[in-house]
Structures are given as C-alpha cells and as structure tokens.
Amino acid sequence: MRKKLLTVALAATMAVASVFSAFAEDVDASKKYDGGQKIDGSAAWNTADGDNYLISETPVTVKFTNTPFLRQDDAGKDQNWFNFVFETIASDSAKGITMRADKFAWTYGDATSEPTYVADASWGDVWDDFMSMCRANTEVSITAKKADANTVTFDIAFGSAATEKYTVTYPDGVPSDLRFHVGADGGSIVVNEVVYGSDAPAPDATPAPSDDKKDDATQAPTQAGSKDNNVKPSQTGDTSAVAVVAIVALGAAVVMVASKKKVTE
C-alpha cells in the first residue's frame, strides 16, 4: 500500500485552489462543450479548471472522457487513485466532500457541519477488475441528485455495466446552493456535456483493448479509516497565470477569500 505524504504547504495550496474555483462558471442548464473542456491532472491534482454544477431535485449528469493512470509513482507503477475525482464545494455552512473513482472520499473546509458518505461499487474490492475496467471504458458519467432534505446521491456509470454510487448525508440538511465539479489526480478528463433532467442518457461503452491490462500495476487501496494514508494532494492545475491576474485585480479581497477557504483534513 503506497502512502501519500502530507506537506507543510498543503493547506495553503488547497486554499488557493478554492479561490480559483470562484472563477469557474456556474452551470445551471444543459450544455455541450464545443471541443470539450479539458481538465489535466496528470502532473498534479486539478479540480480548479472545471465548471460548477448545481445539485437539486433535478438530476444533473456530467459526461466526460476519462484517461486514467497517466502519472507514475516512484516505483513506476500505476496507482488506483490516478483517476478522475469530483467534489462538492465547501461553504460557511457545510464542509465540502471530495470523492475519488476508487470509492474513497474525505471532507474539507472550516464549517462545523460535516457530511458523511457510503460508497457502493459493482466491482467490489477486486482492484485488478477496477484498473482494467477504467482502461477499457473511457466514457464516464456522473449523475448527482438531491434525494431528500438530507441526502445527495452520485451515480457513476463507466460506459459499461460497471457502476458506483456515493450516498452523501448532510446532518443539518443539504445546502440550498450546493454545487460540485469534476477533475483528475494522476489522469486527465475532457468534459463533453452536462444534462439537467431525468432523461439524461448514459455514455456508450468503449470496446476493451485486447491486451491493455497490467497485472503488476494494481495497488491495494487505503481503507477509509486510515485517513493519513489518503491525504488530499495539492490542488494545482494550469492556473498560475490566472492566479497572478486574480491577485493583482482583487488585492485584499482575494486574500480574504483564501483565508476563509483554508482546508482541514
């Protein structure tokens, strides 16, 4: 089991990434992305480059092309978390929750109200199957919906019979303006379309390659109880130029926003 190391700069880096999310577009209606919206997390964690999608009683489905396992660790092997990620946006009233493709999640933010989650997957705990499934099925969809006053569900379809489901419970009620975005850590995605409504189609399956499986590429996941082994990596993307412009333009306001968005594990 490989461990991700916590660095001193982690909280500051994630706070800056939270500021970047303020520049992302809030998308509250169906939309097709002409040419796709690329979110490259191959070199570093990136959830800052994607738009923010409203979660309500109306289902919202984000469809994207997933290219996982682009980053190699120091042993030269793929890790199960080098894949797509998605997360709700933290607020003053509720912590955000970050969810990975390999059914692990954690919360972040300074709010006292903390959501809990349960993750179910059709592939169970067979990590060879998970790694091969992700390579074979590049078209993924995530459908988010407010199921009741305290619950949000995220249904994931991998373009085949493989599925995952996150059920997130908010003890003080689902925030009225809750949004989420998608990104990648160790992989890359291209968002193609977002569809609001219950008739959102699932993505088509992509034929599996004949011999793309790497038997030595799997790594056992860290269990949900061992949070120190699943530290959220720095949220960085192709946003350094945006950061300079934003800080110069907004001055003290950006500093104030960033200070409010410090992340705790």
Side-chain angles (χ1 to χ4, degrees):
M1 189 185 317
R2 304 292 299 177
K3 292 186 178 181
K4 293 187 176 182
L5 302 179
L6 178 64
T7 65
V8 175
L10 178 61
T13 304
M14 291 171 65
V16 172
S18 295
V19 175
F20 290 150
S21 69
F23 296 97
E25 181 181 356
D26 289 343
V27 177
D28 298 346
S30 297
K31 174 181 178 180
K32 288 189 177 182
Y33 290 87
D34 185 16
Q37 180 189 60
K38 185 173 183 179
I39 305 173
D40 187 359
S42 57
W45 178 280
N46 186 359
T47 55
D49 289 348
D51 290 334
N52 305 319
Y53 305 106
L54 180 66
I55 301 174
S56 67
E57 290 83 359
T58 300
V60 53
T61 299
V62 181
K63 299 191 288 184
F64 57 92
T65 302
N66 183 44
T67 306
F69 315 128
L70 295 178
R71 191 187 310 155
Q72 298 285 308
D73 67 3
D74 55 5
K77 294 182 178 180
D78 297 330
Q79 300 285 16
N80 51 278
W81 57 77
F82 291 167
N83 214 315
F84 69 85
V85 296
F86 57 106
E87 62 187 358
T88 63
I89 300 173
S91 66
D92 292 337
S93 62
K95 290 185 177 182
I97 180 167
T98 302
M99 295 159 278
R100 298 195 315 210
D102 61 349
K103 66 174 186 178
F104 182 79
W106 60 90
T107 60
Y108 72 98
D110 293 332
T112 56
S113 180
E114 183 167 6
T116 58
Y117 79 96
V118 175
D120 298 303
S122 63
W123 44 271
D125 292 317
V126 184
W127 294 101
D128 284 352
D129 291 350
F130 172 74
M131 301 285 280
S132 297
M133 173 192 78
C134 289
R135 287 190 177 92
N137 300 291
T138 60
E139 301 305 317
V140 177
S141 71
I142 300 175
T143 299
K145 180 182 179 180
K146 180 180 176 181
D148 57 46
N150 295 86
T151 309
V152 170
T153 58
F154 295 89
D155 289 288
I156 308 169
F158 286 87
S160 66
T163 60
E164 282 181 24
K165 185 183 185 74
Y166 277 90
T167 301
V168 181
T169 301
Y170 288 83
D172 299 318
V174 178
S176 60
D177 194 31
L178 184 65
R179 297 177 186 273
F180 79 105
H181 47 221
V182 294
D185 177 30
S188 181
I189 69 171
V190 176
V191 180
N192 301 307
E193 185 178 11
V194 55
V195 179
Y196 283 82
S198 58
D199 59 348
D204 295 331
T206 301
S210 58
D211 58 353
D212 195 30
K213 182 175 180 180
K214 298 179 183 178
D215 293 334
D216 63 346
T218 57
Q219 294 291 327
T222 304
Q223 297 302 312
S226 302
K227 196 170 185 180
D228 289 344
N229 294 339
N230 286 270
V231 175
K232 185 174 182 179
S234 300
Q235 288 189 350
T236 58
D238 300 329
T239 50
S240 57
V242 176
V244 174
V245 175
I247 292 173
V248 172
L250 299 181
V254 171
V255 175
M256 181 176 66
V257 172
S259 67
K260 284 187 176 182
K261 296 294 184 178
K262 289 181 180 178
V263 175
T264 58
E265 288 291 345

